[in-house]
Amino acid sequence: MVNKTLNYWDPDFEDDVININVGGLRRRLSSSALSKFPDTRLGRLLSCDSEESILQLCDDYDVSAREFYFDRNPGFFLYVLHFYQTGKLHVMEELCVFSFCQEIEYWGINEFFLDSCCSYRYHERKLESRHHNWDEESEVSSVDTSPDEISDFNHDLLRYSTLHCGNLRKRLWLTMENPGYSIPSKLFSFVSISVVLASIAATCIHSMEEYQLFDEDGNLDDSVLQKLEYFCIAWFTFEVTARLLLAPNRKKFFKHPLNLIDIISVLPFYFTLVVDLIFGSESELGNVSKVVQVFRLMRIFRVLKLARHSTGLRSLGATLKHSYREVGILLLYLAVGVSVFSGVAYTAEKDEEAGFDTIPACWWWGTVSMTTVGYGDVVPVTVAGKLAASGCILGGILVVALPITIIFNKFSHFYRRQKALEAAVRNSDRREVEDSETCRSQESEVLSEAFQRVDDLTRNILPAH
């Protein structure tokens, strides 16, 4: 198609017309109309002086026929023609905003040429698209990503085929990891939840004075609670060790949040045990005893182990993890509101001895008021202070309510994804059985066909009696 004999423009070209062919749609344009918009793609054709410069702007051309070919949307080109005739660009409703932006960028037409009848609608759709993309990026993953997780899960299951006793290890791992996998897994989950609840109850009872027993020397003598604690620690240690030994991928094991919670739940016990064996009783430790007490209080975090057996808790954790932008915006709004209303309350109440002595002291009141908790320990008494408190409470209601819908939608997404993943785990054995039956039926068909061929071959070779 390229005319090799003509590499430069005709000197009289500017006084003539050119033919534009876009996806089979052929139209004629005068050079005077194109020269009004020299920064556009078609306008720049007038300043081309070589074949290379022309091919940088179009897909193909024929200088002798003054026709240029573009492999673009022919429907949108009609809007481009209207632009060169009137100087106004209109939005093509059939195209999405992203495609429309790509088209006008290709033709070198600025969006400022949009006519007033289409400009507002275009920018509104563009803004909605940006908000939608921002929300998708903040989610990081959604229901559509569950097939990827299922694929990763199936990939991990394939690792067992190369391990010693792989089938047994896989079944034990699935039993411990997924409560809905089988009846033994449900029993194991029930026992694990019971031990966690018993451990939490023992920790709470140990802090109540009416249930504390002392020996003759005045030391605590909670032998029953101590034995229960040892049993719970033994169970938790068994869980962590078994999961570590049965895990198909050790690196992923230590990166999983639930496994880290299991490890952290048993570390305080062994840390305090080592400290007691090395340094003696807490009375001889001095300041170290406070650290030991802090580690013992960390046992209350064992309640997080329930997330392994609850789809809702796992979905909640994933929602908070992927809603950091919304949570950050919420904290920012609260910080601004607390700072503003605390300053106003301090100005109105500083002479009334109502607890608003300093601005940092007012931050506590501002935080309690904006979160609509309202302890009532600090209360304004002046009219200006009460008005500031009213504004603080109403502003807090609006600020807290804004990101709730987004967070709830993400929670429902992650909840459905967790359900899909659990269904994939439950169906893993069923697929294996179906695949094995299919392989056996195929093998039997191949063997029967082979035997039939051997039988036919034998009949043809051996003479008939």
Side-chain angles (χ1 to χ4, degrees), residues 285-336:
L285 294 178
N287 293 330
V288 181
S289 62
K290 298 181 180 180
V291 180
V292 175
Q293 292 177 2
V294 171
F295 271 90
R296 286 182 175 176
L297 289 175
M298 288 178 61
R299 292 180 297 179
I300 199 66
F301 290 106
R302 292 173 187 172
V303 69
L304 298 178
K305 288 174 63 65
L306 296 176
R308 185 180 293 277
H309 310 282
S310 172
T311 304
L313 288 177
R314 292 197 302 272
S315 302
L316 178 61
T319 302
L320 294 178
K321 177 182 177 182
H322 295 97
S323 299
Y324 63 93
R325 291 187 178 180
E326 289 79 7
V327 175
I329 292 174
L330 175 61
L331 295 178
L332 177 62
Y333 289 164
L334 287 175
V336 172

Tab-separated table of all heavy atoms in Angstrom, residues 285-336:
chain	number	residue	atom	x	y	z
A	285	LEU	N	13.037	-11.490	91.826
A	285	LEU	CA	13.368	-10.973	90.489
A	285	LEU	C	13.431	-9.456	90.431
A	285	LEU	O	14.095	-8.907	89.570
A	285	LEU	CB	12.331	-11.474	89.476
A	285	LEU	CG	12.313	-12.985	89.227
A	285	LEU	CD1	11.210	-13.317	88.235
A	285	LEU	CD2	13.647	-13.487	88.736
A	286	GLY	N	12.720	-8.777	91.313
A	286	GLY	CA	12.702	-7.320	91.258
A	286	GLY	C	11.886	-6.835	90.079
A	286	GLY	O	10.721	-7.210	89.894
A	287	ASN	N	12.479	-5.985	89.223
A	287	ASN	CA	11.772	-5.427	88.070
A	287	ASN	C	11.466	-6.469	87.009
A	287	ASN	O	10.542	-6.297	86.208
A	287	ASN	CB	12.598	-4.290	87.461
A	287	ASN	CG	12.707	-3.097	88.390
A	287	ASN	OD1	11.807	-2.839	89.186
A	287	ASN	ND2	13.820	-2.374	88.300
A	288	VAL	N	12.248	-7.549	86.983
A	288	VAL	CA	11.992	-8.594	85.985
A	288	VAL	C	10.645	-9.253	86.221
A	288	VAL	O	9.990	-9.749	85.296
A	288	VAL	CB	13.131	-9.634	86.006
A	288	VAL	CG1	12.904	-10.711	84.954
A	288	VAL	CG2	14.471	-8.951	85.794
A	289	SER	N	10.187	-9.261	87.499
A	289	SER	CA	8.911	-9.897	87.807
A	289	SER	C	7.755	-9.196	87.091
A	289	SER	O	6.758	-9.825	86.731
A	289	SER	CB	8.674	-9.899	89.312
A	289	SER	OG	8.594	-8.566	89.801
A	290	LYS	N	7.880	-7.872	86.889
A	290	LYS	CA	6.833	-7.150	86.170
A	290	LYS	C	6.752	-7.612	84.719
A	290	LYS	O	5.663	-7.725	84.157
A	290	LYS	CB	7.101	-5.657	86.236
A	290	LYS	CG	7.076	-5.099	87.662
A	290	LYS	CD	7.329	-3.595	87.667
A	290	LYS	CE	7.294	-3.047	89.089
A	290	LYS	NZ	7.547	-1.583	89.140
A	291	VAL	N	7.924	-7.876	84.130
A	291	VAL	CA	7.927	-8.399	82.764
A	291	VAL	C	7.278	-9.763	82.714
A	291	VAL	O	6.507	-10.083	81.795
A	291	VAL	CB	9.374	-8.448	82.223
A	291	VAL	CG1	9.387	-8.997	80.800
A	291	VAL	CG2	10.016	-7.069	82.271
A	292	VAL	N	7.552	-10.588	83.711
A	292	VAL	CA	6.951	-11.920	83.772
A	292	VAL	C	5.436	-11.818	83.901
A	292	VAL	O	4.680	-12.574	83.267
A	292	VAL	CB	7.555	-12.719	84.942
A	292	VAL	CG1	6.848	-14.062	85.093
A	292	VAL	CG2	9.048	-12.936	84.730
A	293	GLN	N	4.967	-10.885	84.732
A	293	GLN	CA	3.532	-10.702	84.890
A	293	GLN	C	2.876	-10.252	83.582
A	293	GLN	O	1.765	-10.682	83.261
A	293	GLN	CB	3.261	-9.684	85.996
A	293	GLN	CG	3.634	-10.184	87.386
A	293	GLN	CD	3.430	-9.124	88.454
A	293	GLN	OE1	2.967	-8.026	88.150
A	293	GLN	NE2	3.781	-9.456	89.682
A	294	VAL	N	3.579	-9.392	82.845
A	294	VAL	CA	3.047	-8.961	81.547
A	294	VAL	C	2.909	-10.151	80.602
A	294	VAL	O	1.905	-10.304	79.899
A	294	VAL	CB	3.938	-7.868	80.933
A	294	VAL	CG1	3.513	-7.570	79.495
A	294	VAL	CG2	3.877	-6.593	81.772
A	295	PHE	N	3.909	-11.020	80.599
A	295	PHE	CA	3.845	-12.201	79.739
A	295	PHE	C	2.715	-13.128	80.163
A	295	PHE	O	2.073	-13.759	79.328
A	295	PHE	CB	5.182	-12.939	79.759
A	295	PHE	CG	6.142	-12.461	78.710
A	295	PHE	CD1	7.036	-11.431	78.966
A	295	PHE	CD2	6.150	-13.035	77.458
A	295	PHE	CE1	7.914	-10.990	78.004
A	295	PHE	CE2	7.021	-12.607	76.473
A	295	PHE	CZ	7.905	-11.578	76.743
A	296	ARG	N	2.480	-13.224	81.465
A	296	ARG	CA	1.379	-14.073	81.922
A	296	ARG	C	0.028	-13.490	81.526
A	296	ARG	O	-0.909	-14.229	81.219
A	296	ARG	CB	1.464	-14.235	83.432
A	296	ARG	CG	2.598	-15.169	83.856
A	296	ARG	CD	2.641	-15.369	85.350
A	296	ARG	NE	3.651	-16.351	85.715
A	296	ARG	CZ	3.964	-16.660	86.968
A	296	ARG	NH1	3.353	-16.044	87.981
A	296	ARG	NH2	4.884	-17.572	87.221
A	297	LEU	N	-0.069	-12.168	81.538
A	297	LEU	CA	-1.318	-11.547	81.102
A	297	LEU	C	-1.560	-11.747	79.610
A	297	LEU	O	-2.704	-11.666	79.149
A	297	LEU	CB	-1.302	-10.055	81.427
A	297	LEU	CG	-1.412	-9.686	82.914
A	297	LEU	CD1	-1.261	-8.180	83.095
A	297	LEU	CD2	-2.742	-10.157	83.487
A	298	MET	N	-0.493	-12.014	78.852
A	298	MET	CA	-0.653	-12.252	77.419
A	298	MET	C	-1.414	-13.531	77.127
A	298	MET	O	-1.816	-13.772	75.982
A	298	MET	CB	0.716	-12.291	76.727
A	298	MET	CG	1.402	-10.938	76.623
A	298	MET	SD	3.036	-11.067	75.865
A	298	MET	CE	2.616	-11.715	74.256
A	299	ARG	N	-1.641	-14.339	78.157
A	299	ARG	CA	-2.407	-15.562	77.942
A	299	ARG	C	-3.837	-15.268	77.516
A	299	ARG	O	-4.506	-16.122	76.933
A	299	ARG	CB	-2.415	-16.400	79.221
A	299	ARG	CG	-1.051	-16.973	79.580
A	299	ARG	CD	-1.102	-17.786	80.857
A	299	ARG	NE	-1.477	-16.944	82.004
A	299	ARG	CZ	-1.609	-17.400	83.241
A	299	ARG	NH1	-1.416	-18.688	83.495
A	299	ARG	NH2	-1.934	-16.589	84.228
A	300	ILE	N	-4.312	-14.067	77.838
A	300	ILE	CA	-5.679	-13.725	77.462
A	300	ILE	C	-5.844	-13.649	75.955
A	300	ILE	O	-6.958	-13.780	75.416
A	300	ILE	CB	-6.088	-12.385	78.118
A	300	ILE	CG1	-7.612	-12.237	78.142
A	300	ILE	CG2	-5.463	-11.213	77.385
A	300	ILE	CD1	-8.304	-13.235	79.008
A	301	PHE	N	-4.724	-13.483	75.230
A	301	PHE	CA	-4.796	-13.419	73.772
A	301	PHE	C	-5.070	-14.791	73.151
A	301	PHE	O	-5.188	-14.906	71.935
A	301	PHE	CB	-3.501	-12.851	73.200
A	301	PHE	CG	-3.306	-11.392	73.488
A	301	PHE	CD1	-2.384	-10.962	74.424
A	301	PHE	CD2	-4.061	-10.438	72.842
A	301	PHE	CE1	-2.212	-9.620	74.705
A	301	PHE	CE2	-3.904	-9.086	73.105
A	301	PHE	CZ	-2.984	-8.673	74.046
A	302	ARG	N	-5.169	-15.817	73.996
A	302	ARG	CA	-5.520	-17.134	73.460
A	302	ARG	C	-6.920	-17.161	72.871
A	302	ARG	O	-7.266	-18.073	72.115
A	302	ARG	CB	-5.413	-18.176	74.575
A	302	ARG	CG	-3.993	-18.430	75.043
A	302	ARG	CD	-3.967	-19.338	76.242
A	302	ARG	NE	-2.615	-19.458	76.795
A	302	ARG	CZ	-2.332	-20.064	77.941
A	302	ARG	NH1	-3.306	-20.603	78.667
A	302	ARG	NH2	-1.086	-20.129	78.379
A	303	VAL	N	-7.724	-16.155	73.227
A	303	VAL	CA	-9.065	-16.098	72.649
A	303	VAL	C	-8.996	-15.926	71.137
A	303	VAL	O	-9.932	-16.305	70.409
A	303	VAL	CB	-9.862	-14.943	73.308
A	303	VAL	CG1	-9.311	-13.593	72.894
A	303	VAL	CG2	-11.343	-15.049	72.974
A	304	LEU	N	-7.874	-15.380	70.636
A	304	LEU	CA	-7.721	-15.223	69.185
A	304	LEU	C	-7.585	-16.566	68.477
A	304	LEU	O	-7.759	-16.637	67.253
A	304	LEU	CB	-6.501	-14.346	68.891
A	304	LEU	CG	-6.553	-12.910	69.414
A	304	LEU	CD1	-5.251	-12.178	69.096
A	304	LEU	CD2	-7.734	-12.158	68.825
A	305	LYS	N	-7.285	-17.628	69.242
A	305	LYS	CA	-7.205	-18.955	68.627
A	305	LYS	C	-8.559	-19.414	68.110
A	305	LYS	O	-8.631	-20.298	67.248
A	305	LYS	CB	-6.665	-19.968	69.639
A	305	LYS	CG	-5.182	-19.806	69.953
A	305	LYS	CD	-4.756	-20.731	71.068
A	305	LYS	CE	-4.913	-22.179	70.682
A	305	LYS	NZ	-4.013	-22.581	69.572
A	306	LEU	N	-9.619	-18.810	68.632
A	306	LEU	CA	-10.948	-19.184	68.150
A	306	LEU	C	-11.154	-18.802	66.692
A	306	LEU	O	-12.053	-19.328	66.039
A	306	LEU	CB	-12.018	-18.508	69.016
A	306	LEU	CG	-12.065	-18.931	70.494
A	306	LEU	CD1	-13.093	-18.103	71.232
A	306	LEU	CD2	-12.378	-20.405	70.627
A	307	ALA	N	-10.344	-17.870	66.174
A	307	ALA	CA	-10.480	-17.465	64.773
A	307	ALA	C	-10.204	-18.626	63.821
A	307	ALA	O	-10.734	-18.650	62.703
A	307	ALA	CB	-9.534	-16.302	64.468
A	308	ARG	N	-9.399	-19.597	64.261
A	308	ARG	CA	-9.116	-20.750	63.401
A	308	ARG	C	-10.365	-21.590	63.169
A	308	ARG	O	-10.499	-22.264	62.142
A	308	ARG	CB	-8.017	-21.604	64.030
A	308	ARG	CG	-7.570	-22.762	63.160
A	308	ARG	CD	-6.490	-23.559	63.836
A	308	ARG	NE	-5.272	-22.784	63.967
A	308	ARG	CZ	-4.373	-22.659	62.996
A	308	ARG	NH1	-4.581	-23.227	61.814
A	308	ARG	NH2	-3.290	-21.956	63.179
A	309	HIS	N	-11.297	-21.551	64.097
A	309	HIS	CA	-12.498	-22.371	64.009
A	309	HIS	C	-13.737	-21.557	63.687
A	309	HIS	O	-14.846	-22.076	63.746
A	309	HIS	CB	-12.713	-23.118	65.337
A	309	HIS	CG	-11.494	-23.830	65.828
A	309	HIS	ND1	-11.072	-25.028	65.309
A	309	HIS	CD2	-10.589	-23.482	66.782
A	309	HIS	CE1	-9.961	-25.415	65.931
A	309	HIS	NE2	-9.651	-24.494	66.833
A	310	SER	N	-13.576	-20.289	63.356
A	310	SER	CA	-14.713	-19.425	63.064
A	310	SER	C	-14.484	-18.688	61.751
A	310	SER	O	-13.503	-17.949	61.605
A	310	SER	CB	-14.926	-18.417	64.203
A	310	SER	OG	-15.911	-17.469	63.856
A	311	THR	N	-15.379	-18.904	60.804
A	311	THR	CA	-15.290	-18.199	59.521
A	311	THR	C	-15.503	-16.702	59.690
A	311	THR	O	-14.850	-15.888	59.032
A	311	THR	CB	-16.333	-18.765	58.543
A	311	THR	OG1	-16.146	-20.177	58.421
A	311	THR	CG2	-16.203	-18.126	57.176
A	312	GLY	N	-16.414	-16.332	60.604
A	312	GLY	CA	-16.683	-14.922	60.818
A	312	GLY	C	-15.486	-14.164	61.362
A	312	GLY	O	-15.187	-13.052	60.916
A	313	LEU	N	-14.751	-14.767	62.321
A	313	LEU	CA	-13.582	-14.095	62.883
A	313	LEU	C	-12.464	-13.971	61.853
A	313	LEU	O	-11.770	-12.954	61.792
A	313	LEU	CB	-13.080	-14.858	64.117
A	313	LEU	CG	-13.957	-14.749	65.374
A	313	LEU	CD1	-13.382	-15.595	66.495
A	313	LEU	CD2	-14.072	-13.299	65.813
A	314	ARG	N	-12.268	-15.004	61.042
A	314	ARG	CA	-11.254	-14.905	59.984
A	314	ARG	C	-11.622	-13.840	58.967
A	314	ARG	O	-10.761	-13.090	58.492
A	314	ARG	CB	-11.077	-16.258	59.290
A	314	ARG	CG	-10.443	-17.334	60.170
A	314	ARG	CD	-9.919	-18.477	59.318
A	314	ARG	NE	-10.962	-19.088	58.515
A	314	ARG	CZ	-11.742	-20.074	58.925
A	314	ARG	NH1	-11.619	-20.547	60.164
A	314	ARG	NH2	-12.656	-20.597	58.128
A	315	SER	N	-12.900	-13.750	58.623
A	315	SER	CA	-13.349	-12.708	57.685
A	315	SER	C	-13.170	-11.325	58.287
A	315	SER	O	-12.797	-10.382	57.587
A	315	SER	CB	-14.817	-12.943	57.313
A	315	SER	OG	-14.994	-14.229	56.746
A	316	LEU	N	-13.426	-11.200	59.594
A	316	LEU	CA	-13.244	-9.910	60.255
A	316	LEU	C	-11.783	-9.484	60.232
A	316	LEU	O	-11.462	-8.317	59.966
A	316	LEU	CB	-13.753	-9.982	61.693
A	316	LEU	CG	-13.591	-8.706	62.534
A	316	LEU	CD1	-14.368	-7.560	61.916
A	316	LEU	CD2	-14.051	-8.955	63.967
A	317	GLY	N	-10.878	-10.432	60.494
A	317	GLY	CA	-9.452	-10.110	60.441
A	317	GLY	C	-9.003	-9.687	59.059
A	317	GLY	O	-8.252	-8.712	58.898
A	318	ALA	N	-9.475	-10.400	58.023
A	318	ALA	CA	-9.114	-10.034	56.649
A	318	ALA	C	-9.701	-8.675	56.272
A	318	ALA	O	-9.065	-7.889	55.563
A	318	ALA	CB	-9.610	-11.111	55.680
A	319	THR	N	-10.902	-8.379	56.773
A	319	THR	CA	-11.525	-7.084	56.482
A	319	THR	C	-10.723	-5.942	57.079
A	319	THR	O	-10.455	-4.925	56.420
A	319	THR	CB	-12.959	-7.055	57.025
A	319	THR	OG1	-13.710	-8.131	56.434
A	319	THR	CG2	-13.628	-5.733	56.696
A	320	LEU	N	-10.320	-6.089	58.346
A	320	LEU	CA	-9.524	-5.038	58.981
A	320	LEU	C	-8.162	-4.883	58.306
A	320	LEU	O	-7.639	-3.769	58.182
A	320	LEU	CB	-9.334	-5.367	60.467
A	320	LEU	CG	-10.614	-5.351	61.312
A	320	LEU	CD1	-10.300	-5.751	62.744
A	320	LEU	CD2	-11.271	-3.983	61.278
A	321	LYS	N	-7.600	-5.998	57.840
A	321	LYS	CA	-6.296	-5.944	57.184
A	321	LYS	C	-6.365	-5.163	55.880
A	321	LYS	O	-5.450	-4.381	55.565
A	321	LYS	CB	-5.797	-7.358	56.924
A	321	LYS	CG	-4.469	-7.417	56.173
A	321	LYS	CD	-4.065	-8.854	55.907
A	321	LYS	CE	-2.775	-8.912	55.090
A	321	LYS	NZ	-2.388	-10.316	54.773
A	322	HIS	N	-7.426	-5.344	55.126
A	322	HIS	CA	-7.533	-4.720	53.812
A	322	HIS	C	-8.371	-3.446	53.830
A	322	HIS	O	-8.694	-2.898	52.760
A	322	HIS	CB	-8.138	-5.698	52.810
A	322	HIS	CG	-7.274	-6.896	52.547
A	322	HIS	ND1	-7.466	-8.097	53.193
A	322	HIS	CD2	-6.192	-7.056	51.757
A	322	HIS	CE1	-6.561	-8.961	52.780
A	322	HIS	NE2	-5.770	-8.357	51.915
A	323	SER	N	-8.743	-2.967	55.010
A	323	SER	CA	-9.481	-1.705	55.125
A	323	SER	C	-8.634	-0.647	55.807
A	323	SER	O	-9.166	0.230	56.489
A	323	SER	CB	-10.790	-1.928	55.904
A	323	SER	OG	-11.627	-2.852	55.257
A	324	TYR	N	-7.325	-0.731	55.624
A	324	TYR	CA	-6.457	0.206	56.324
A	324	TYR	C	-6.687	1.646	55.848
A	324	TYR	O	-6.513	2.595	56.616
A	324	TYR	CB	-4.997	-0.189	56.142
A	324	TYR	CG	-4.498	-0.143	54.723
A	324	TYR	CD1	-3.886	0.985	54.200
A	324	TYR	CD2	-4.635	-1.249	53.898
A	324	TYR	CE1	-3.431	1.020	52.903
A	324	TYR	CE2	-4.188	-1.229	52.590
A	324	TYR	CZ	-3.583	-0.097	52.102
A	324	TYR	OH	-3.132	-0.058	50.810
A	325	ARG	N	-7.090	1.813	54.599
A	325	ARG	CA	-7.341	3.170	54.111
A	325	ARG	C	-8.573	3.765	54.787
A	325	ARG	O	-8.557	4.917	55.231
A	325	ARG	CB	-7.529	3.160	52.595
A	325	ARG	CG	-6.252	2.836	51.837
A	325	ARG	CD	-6.456	2.998	50.350
A	325	ARG	NE	-5.234	2.747	49.611
A	325	ARG	CZ	-5.129	2.822	48.281
A	325	ARG	NH1	-6.184	3.160	47.581
A	325	ARG	NH2	-3.984	2.578	47.684
A	326	GLU	N	-9.647	2.983	54.844
A	326	GLU	CA	-10.858	3.483	55.485
A	326	GLU	C	-10.624	3.726	56.972
A	326	GLU	O	-11.089	4.740	57.526
A	326	GLU	CB	-11.999	2.480	55.289
A	326	GLU	CG	-12.523	2.393	53.870
A	326	GLU	CD	-11.641	1.553	52.968
A	326	GLU	OE1	-10.705	0.936	53.498
A	326	GLU	OE2	-11.889	1.515	51.748
A	327	VAL	N	-9.917	2.814	57.630
A	327	VAL	CA	-9.624	2.995	59.050
A	327	VAL	C	-8.729	4.219	59.256
A	327	VAL	O	-8.902	4.987	60.211
A	327	VAL	CB	-8.972	1.725	59.637
A	327	VAL	CG1	-8.557	1.946	61.081
A	327	VAL	CG2	-9.931	0.551	59.551
A	328	GLY	N	-7.770	4.410	58.355
A	328	GLY	CA	-6.903	5.592	58.460
A	328	GLY	C	-7.683	6.885	58.300
A	328	GLY	O	-7.448	7.861	59.031
A	329	ILE	N	-8.628	6.897	57.342
A	329	ILE	CA	-9.465	8.088	57.160
A	329	ILE	C	-10.316	8.333	58.401
A	329	ILE	O	-10.486	9.476	58.853
A	329	ILE	CB	-10.347	7.928	55.910
A	329	ILE	CG1	-9.474	7.945	54.647
A	329	ILE	CG2	-11.401	9.020	55.834
A	329	ILE	CD1	-10.242	7.657	53.382
A	330	LEU	N	-10.859	7.253	58.978
A	330	LEU	CA	-11.669	7.393	60.186
A	330	LEU	C	-10.856	7.991	61.329
A	330	LEU	O	-11.317	8.912	62.029
A	330	LEU	CB	-12.226	6.021	60.575
A	330	LEU	CG	-13.004	5.938	61.897
A	330	LEU	CD1	-14.227	6.843	61.840
A	330	LEU	CD2	-13.410	4.505	62.188
A	331	LEU	N	-9.642	7.481	61.530
A	331	LEU	CA	-8.793	8.004	62.601
A	331	LEU	C	-8.399	9.461	62.334
A	331	LEU	O	-8.303	10.268	63.266
A	331	LEU	CB	-7.546	7.133	62.745
A	331	LEU	CG	-7.782	5.686	63.203
A	331	LEU	CD1	-6.471	4.931	63.255
A	331	LEU	CD2	-8.458	5.667	64.566
A	332	LEU	N	-8.167	9.782	61.065
A	332	LEU	CA	-7.835	11.170	60.726
A	332	LEU	C	-8.992	12.105	61.048
A	332	LEU	O	-8.798	13.180	61.649
A	332	LEU	CB	-7.474	11.264	59.243
A	332	LEU	CG	-7.173	12.676	58.707
A	332	LEU	CD1	-5.963	13.274	59.409
A	332	LEU	CD2	-6.972	12.633	57.199
A	333	TYR	N	-10.210	11.727	60.652
A	333	TYR	CA	-11.375	12.548	60.954
A	333	TYR	C	-11.553	12.712	62.460
A	333	TYR	O	-11.869	13.806	62.957
A	333	TYR	CB	-12.634	11.922	60.350
A	333	TYR	CG	-12.703	12.003	58.848
A	333	TYR	CD1	-13.596	11.219	58.118
A	333	TYR	CD2	-11.868	12.862	58.135
A	333	TYR	CE1	-13.663	11.289	56.739
A	333	TYR	CE2	-11.927	12.938	56.758
A	333	TYR	CZ	-12.826	12.151	56.069
A	333	TYR	OH	-12.885	12.216	54.700
A	334	LEU	N	-11.382	11.615	63.202
A	334	LEU	CA	-11.533	11.687	64.654
A	334	LEU	C	-10.481	12.599	65.269
A	334	LEU	O	-10.779	13.389	66.180
A	334	LEU	CB	-11.442	10.282	65.257
A	334	LEU	CG	-12.641	9.349	65.036
A	334	LEU	CD1	-12.349	7.970	65.590
A	334	LEU	CD2	-13.889	9.922	65.688
A	335	ALA	N	-9.237	12.495	64.774
A	335	ALA	CA	-8.165	13.329	65.329
A	335	ALA	C	-8.441	14.807	65.076
A	335	ALA	O	-8.263	15.653	65.975
A	335	ALA	CB	-6.822	12.925	64.712
A	336	VAL	N	-8.904	15.134	63.867
A	336	VAL	CA	-9.207	16.532	63.562
A	336	VAL	C	-10.369	17.029	64.419
A	336	VAL	O	-10.328	18.127	64.998
A	336	VAL	CB	-9.531	16.688	62.065
A	336	VAL	CG1	-10.043	18.087	61.767
A	336	VAL	CG2	-8.288	16.398	61.228
